[in-house]
Amino acid sequence: MDFHVSLAGRGDLSARIYRELLDAIVDGRLRPGERLPPTRELAQRLDVSRTTVTDAYDRLTAEGFLVGKVGAGTFVSEQPVKRAERRAAHGVARPRPIWDTLPQPTPLPWLEFDFRLGTPDGQLFPLETWRRLVAREMRAKVVHNADYTDPSGHEGLRAAIARYVGVSRSVHAGADDVVVTQGAQQALDITARVLLEPGDCVATEEPGYVPARRLFSSHGARVVGVPVDDEGLDVSALPDDARLVYTTPSHQFPLGTPMSLARRTALLAWAEQHDAVVVEDDYDSEYRFSDRPLQPVQSIDRGGRVVYVGSFSKTLLPMLRIGFLVAPASLLPALRTAKQLTDWHGDVINQAALATFLDEGLLARHIRKATREYARRHELIVETLEKDFPWLDLVPSAAGLHLCVRSEADVEPVVAAARAKQVGVQALADFCAGPVQHGLVLGYGAISLDNIREGLRRVRTN
C-alpha cells in the first residue's frame, strides 16, 4: 500500500515514523491484516536509513500492533485494538449560524411495521429491465464518451421528460426547458441559488415539506409559513414581500389535499401582482386512485412565473437520484450555470437508461402496476382507520404514498409507544413550523399489505 508518512514535527525520525503508523492503526486508517510497505521500500521513499524504519516497525511489533510473517512481510495485527476516539477538530473556523440550527442527517432505524413517508416499495421496482437498460448504456457509452457532459442533463432524457410530463401532466415544455437534477431537492437548491438574496422572504405551506423549508433557510431566506385549508394554500395569507412561493398543489404535503383551480388561478395572479416566482413541487402526484388530477399551475401560467419540479424518487427508487425542473426561458441560463457550479452533471448512464425507460412506455406501465398495489394499501388503511380509530379524523386524499388523520389530542405518546412496538408512524406536528396541529401521517410505500392490519393494531393498543 502507498501509505503516506509525514516526517514533520519534533523527535528523531524513527519516533516520528512510529507515531504516524500508530495513529493510523488506532484511527482505523490501517486495518487489521493490512500489509505495510517493506522497510527498504519505505526507507527509500522517505529518504531515511533502513535502520530508522526498522526501529519503528520493531517497536510497534513489540507493542502488539504489527506482526511479522517470514517470507510474507509485516502486517497490522489481527488482534482487537482499542480504537481511540477520533480527535475533535478544534479550530476557529465556524459555519454560518443557520447551520447550528439545522439538524444533522441521521439514518432512520429499521422497524418491522414501517409507515414512513416518501419511500416507495423497492420490491415493485423492475430491476431486471433496469439492469438491461443500464448494461446497454454502459456498453455503448463508457469507453467512447467519457468527457464531462451538459449540466442540463442527458439530451435524450430531457426530451423524454418533456414528452412524459406533457402527456401525463399537461406541462408545457420542450427539451430545452428541462434541467435534470439529483432529485427534487437539488432542483429546489439551484432555484434558490438563482432567485434568493439573504433576507428574502419565502412563503411555504403550513404544515409543509420540512426539507424544502430548511433548504430555503440555509440560503439565508426568511421563511414564512402560510396556512393550508381544504382548497390548498391560502393565497390571501401570503406575505406581500414574498420573493418565492413554494407549494405542493397536486398532493399537498403532508395533508394530501389538492389545491382547487380557483386557488391556482389566484396564486398566479398574486405572483404577477407581487413580482414573485412560484415553485410548484408536483410531489407524489403520479399515483392516483380515483379523481382526475387538476392541471398543474405551470400549465395555466401565462406570465412565465412557475418553476415546475418533479422527481423519479417515488415512481422508481430514491437511490437513483434523478429529478428535474421545468423553468421559464428567463431563468434557464442561470439555472444551468448553477447546476454546473453545484456538481457539473449527474450520472449520465442512469439518465440515458431512464430516457429509454420513458420512451418505451416502461415507466407508465410500472406506474399502472404500482398504483394498483398502492391503491389496495391505501384502501385497507382507510378502512381500518374508519373502523378502529373513531377518535381520528381522516383527511380526504386520493393520491400519493401517504395519508393524514387529524386528532384533537396530542399524539406524541402514541407515536413513542408505537415505536417501542416496532411500528413507525409520524406525528403531524413534525411538519409544523407554526402552531402545532395534532394528528398522524401514515405512509404505505414501505409497508406490505400483509403488515398493515397488525401495524395499525399495535398503534391502537398503545
Side-chain angles (χ1 to χ4, degrees):
M1 137 177 295
D2 187 13
F3 180 73
H4 175 72
V5 176
S6 172
L7 298 182
R10 298 180 179 180
D12 62 73
L13 294 176
S14 179
R16 295 181 210 172
I17 295 170
Y18 163 83
R19 282 197 301 272
E20 285 281 308
L21 293 174
L22 178 62
D23 284 347
I25 294 170
V26 172
D27 287 347
R29 286 175 286 142
L30 285 175
R31 296 168 295 179
E34 201 152 11
R35 186 175 183 271
L36 269 65
T39 55
R40 188 185 302 278
E41 177 186 317
L42 186 57
Q44 291 175 346
R45 193 188 311 161
L46 298 177
D47 194 22
V48 299
S49 72
R50 185 181 181 186
T51 301
T52 299
V53 176
T54 301
D55 288 346
Y57 277 29
D58 288 346
R59 183 175 173 185
L60 290 165
T61 301
E63 294 175 357
F65 292 102
L66 298 181
V67 175
K69 299 180 181 179
V70 177
T74 303
F75 298 81
V76 178
S77 174
E78 296 280 3
Q79 298 298 319
V81 176
K82 184 177 180 181
R83 305 294 177 192
E85 292 293 328
R86 189 173 296 275
R87 290 171 297 199
H90 298 294
V92 296
R94 295 289 302 161
R96 289 188 293 117
I98 182 62
W99 293 101
D100 290 329
T101 69
L102 298 175
Q104 295 188 14
T106 54
L108 294 173
W110 181 88
L111 295 170
E112 186 177 359
F113 302 92
D114 200 343
F115 292 94
R116 77 176 62 184
L117 277 63
T119 302
D121 187 344
Q123 298 299 314
L124 300 178
F125 180 70
L127 181 60
E128 290 304 318
T129 300
W130 187 258
R131 181 183 289 127
R132 172 175 56 81
L133 295 177
V134 169
R136 180 196 302 175
E137 295 300 328
M138 290 286 287
R139 288 193 297 270
K141 293 185 173 64
V142 165
V143 175
H144 304 292
N145 186 18
D147 200 0
Y148 294 103
T149 63
D150 188 342
S152 298
H154 184 275
E155 183 178 3
L157 178 57
R158 288 188 283 115
I161 288 173
R163 286 191 293 271
Y164 174 73
V165 297
V167 171
S168 67
R169 300 291 291 120
S170 299
V171 170
H172 298 155
D176 291 340
D177 302 315
V178 177
V179 177
V180 180
T181 60
Q182 305 268 26
Q185 196 72 3
Q186 189 184 50
L188 299 180
D189 183 62
I190 63 174
T191 301
R193 290 172 184 270
V194 165
L195 290 174
L196 298 179
E197 298 279 1
D200 279 350
C201 178
V202 173
T204 63
E205 295 168 329
E206 176 62 27
Y209 188 55
V210 176
R213 186 187 303 144
R214 290 173 178 167
L215 185 144
F216 295 132
S217 295
S218 77
H219 282 280
R222 177 170 52 87
V223 180
V224 177
V226 178
V228 175
D229 59 23
D230 292 343
E231 289 191 71
L233 182 76
D234 184 356
V235 177
S236 66
L238 285 168
D240 288 339
D241 61 343
R243 167 75 170 135
L244 184 153
V245 180
Y246 171 79
T247 180
T248 55
S250 296
H251 184 239
Q252 200 279 331
F253 185 94
L255 298 178
T257 52
M259 183 186 290
S260 69
L261 180 59
R263 286 283 176 85
R264 295 170 190 235
T265 304
L267 176 59
L268 287 173
W270 184 94
E272 186 72 27
Q273 180 182 354
H274 293 82
D275 192 24
V277 172
V278 175
V279 176
E280 177 181 16
D281 188 345
D282 207 6
Y283 186 92
D284 226 4
S285 67
E286 295 85 0
Y287 303 117
R288 305 202 68 83
F289 312 130
S290 58
D291 59 332
R292 288 184 59 190
L294 291 169
Q295 284 187 300
V297 178
Q298 192 269 0
S299 69
I300 57 175
D301 173 30
R302 298 295 178 264
R305 294 194 170 274
V306 176
V307 176
Y308 178 89
V309 173
S311 169
F312 296 96
S313 294
K314 311 297 184 298
T315 50
L316 294 174
L317 289 176
M319 67 178 63
L320 292 178
R321 304 312 305 143
I322 301 180
F324 63 93
L325 60 81
V326 176
S330 58
L331 294 178
L332 282 166
L335 288 167
R336 294 188 188 109
T337 302
K339 178 64 170 64
Q340 184 183 45
L341 293 177
T342 301
D343 72 346
W344 201 296
H345 62 78
D347 184 336
V348 179
I349 299 299
N350 276 325
Q351 289 184 19
L354 181 55
T356 304
F357 197 78
L358 286 167
D359 283 340
E360 294 184 357
L362 299 173
L363 179 63
R365 182 190 306 171
H366 168 66
I367 289 175
R368 287 194 297 270
K369 175 184 175 182
T371 298
R372 289 192 293 270
E373 173 59 28
Y374 293 137
R376 287 192 288 268
R377 301 181 193 184
H378 178 275
E379 183 180 357
L380 180 56
I381 292 176
V382 170
E383 174 189 310
T384 306
L385 289 172
E386 291 178 341
K387 176 183 176 183
D388 298 334
F389 293 79
W391 51 282
L392 294 175
D393 183 19
L394 180 66
V395 179
S397 174
L401 291 177
H402 73 268
L403 51 80
C404 179
V405 286
R406 293 186 180 276
S407 169
E408 294 184 359
D410 182 10
V411 298
E412 289 295 345
V414 175
V415 172
R419 185 170 294 273
K421 296 181 179 181
Q422 284 293 297
V423 182
V425 294
Q426 283 187 267
L428 179 58
D430 293 344
F431 307 97
C432 298
V436 171
Q437 300 182 36
H438 299 304
L440 295 173
V441 187
L442 302 167
Y444 41 84
I447 187 167
S448 69
L449 187 70
D450 294 338
N451 279 346
I452 287 175
R453 287 191 189 278
E454 174 60 18
L456 290 178
R457 187 192 67 79
R458 295 189 185 196
V459 174
R460 188 186 73 243
T461 56
N462 284 324

